[in-house]
Structures are given as structure tokens and as C-alpha cells.
Amino acid sequence: ELIWQTVKTVEKKYGKLSPQRLIFEAIRYMKQYMIADLIKTTDAKIKELNLETCQDVREAGQAVACTSALFAQYNKEIKELLSRKVYNHYQVNKMTNKARRMVIELFNIFMNDPACLPTEWRELMHHSGSEQLRARVICDYIAGMTDRFVIKEYQSFFDLSPSNIFY
């Protein structure tokens, strides 16, 4: 409900917009609303509790920075919409599964053949005694990779096309 009110407000303010611009302006409007709500509600809470110093805030015994009940509803709607339309979208799930498979395969390669690791990581792994510590080194190495580098590394091991065979 509140999300669609936001869209209507943006359309009223700017007229007909492209879908991308409408989304951008709606998000901008929501951010402004959220910030204004946080400031207004927090200010009201400070006055209600008669807080004057940082020490008063520490001793308040409750959260001082807060949002309104209306915003809480708004936030709930946004999370439900994102969950339904973005986080659980089939294309996102496909990409997540591909990424998971790449990370697992890279981990297995590095565990089974540490010689495939760059020199400094191979040395770290060599000085890590237990299997668990060796796995931790590999996890740290993979965690430091960008998405693009994970894809490039995965392709270097599994893409057997002529252009990639000697990489």
C-alpha cells in the first residue's frame, strides 16, 4: 500500500517517467521519507524522555533513535516486496546457484591441488598444519576474490575452449 502511494506521489510530482527513472525517483523519495521519519521520531523521543546529554541517552534504558510505527509498516512492506520480487526471483536463484557451484569447485581444486594456488597462498597453506587450517586459508583466498575474478578462475580450470586451454 505505502509503496504504491510512493509511486503515485512520484508520478504526480514528475509526470510520466520511464520505468527506470520512476524506480530511481521512488527509491530516492523512500530514502528521504525514511531519513525524515527517523529524525522526527528520534527528536520526539528525546523530548519525551527529556534527554539533554549523551549520558542521559546511555542511561535512558531504551532505544532513543527510532522510527515511527507507520515507518515500521512501510519497512515491512518493502522487505516483503523485495523478498517476493528480488531475493526469491528465479533469475537471482539461478545466479546464486551458479556462484555457489563455482566457489565449491574452486575450493575443491585448491584443497586437492594446492599447487594451483598463487605462491603466497600456497606458502600460507603449507605452513597451516591441520586440514581445518588449510581449508581456512583457501576460504580466505576465495573470499578475497571479486565476482569477476571467481568467474575468470573458474573458467581457467573448466573452460576447455582453445582460447582458454593454455591460460
Side-chain angles (χ1 to χ4, degrees):
E1 178 70 29
L2 291 169
I3 293 168
W4 305 121
Q5 287 176 354
T6 299
V7 169
K8 288 177 187 174
T9 301
V10 169
E11 286 175 333
K12 186 176 179 182
K13 182 175 181 179
Y14 296 105
K16 185 159 176 57
L17 298 171
S18 70
Q20 294 88 357
R21 180 68 190 270
L22 178 62
I23 291 168
F24 173 81
E25 293 298 338
I27 290 170
R28 190 169 73 117
Y29 179 87
M30 285 188 269
K31 287 178 182 178
Q32 290 171 343
Y33 171 79
M34 292 173 187
I35 292 167
D37 181 82
L38 176 66
I39 292 169
K40 181 180 175 184
T41 309
T42 300
D43 188 51
K45 182 70 105 175
I46 289 169
K47 289 175 181 162
E48 172 192 329
L49 298 174
N50 196 28
L51 304 175
E52 294 181 3
T53 66
C54 292
Q55 192 61 34
D56 291 343
V57 173
R58 286 186 200 100
E59 295 171 357
Q62 59 183 285
V64 175
C66 55
T67 56
S68 67
L70 181 61
F71 174 78
Q73 178 61 34
Y74 196 45
N75 195 35
K76 182 180 175 194
E77 286 184 28
I78 290 169
K79 287 179 179 179
E80 287 171 358
L81 177 73
L82 289 173
S83 181
R84 210 172 45 253
K85 299 284 187 179
V86 179
Y87 305 139
N88 292 318
H89 191 275
Y90 78 96
Q91 288 178 318
V92 172
N93 290 332
K94 280 173 41 177
M95 291 305 298
T96 300
N97 281 311
K98 285 180 186 180
R100 182 181 301 117
R101 187 177 78 213
M102 286 189 279
V103 168
I104 289 169
E105 292 294 335
L106 287 174
F107 177 86
N108 289 334
I109 285 172
F110 297 138
M111 273 303 278
N112 294 325
D113 190 359
C116 293
L117 286 165
T119 305
E120 60 273 14
W121 289 95
R122 190 174 337 123
E123 289 172 5
L124 276 173
M125 195 165 157
H126 176 71
H127 296 297
S128 301
S130 71
E131 184 90 357
Q132 186 176 5
L133 290 174
R134 292 176 63 223
R136 171 55 37 210
V137 169
I138 293 169
C139 288
D140 289 345
Y141 175 61
I142 293 172
M145 295 180 177
T146 63
D147 293 350
R148 287 177 196 246
F149 189 72
V150 167
I151 293 167
K152 188 176 175 184
E153 276 290 272
Y154 182 85
Q155 288 172 336
S156 76
F157 287 108
F158 295 101
D159 181 0
L160 300 178
S161 63
S163 63
N164 200 35
I165 205 104
F166 296 107
Y167 168 56

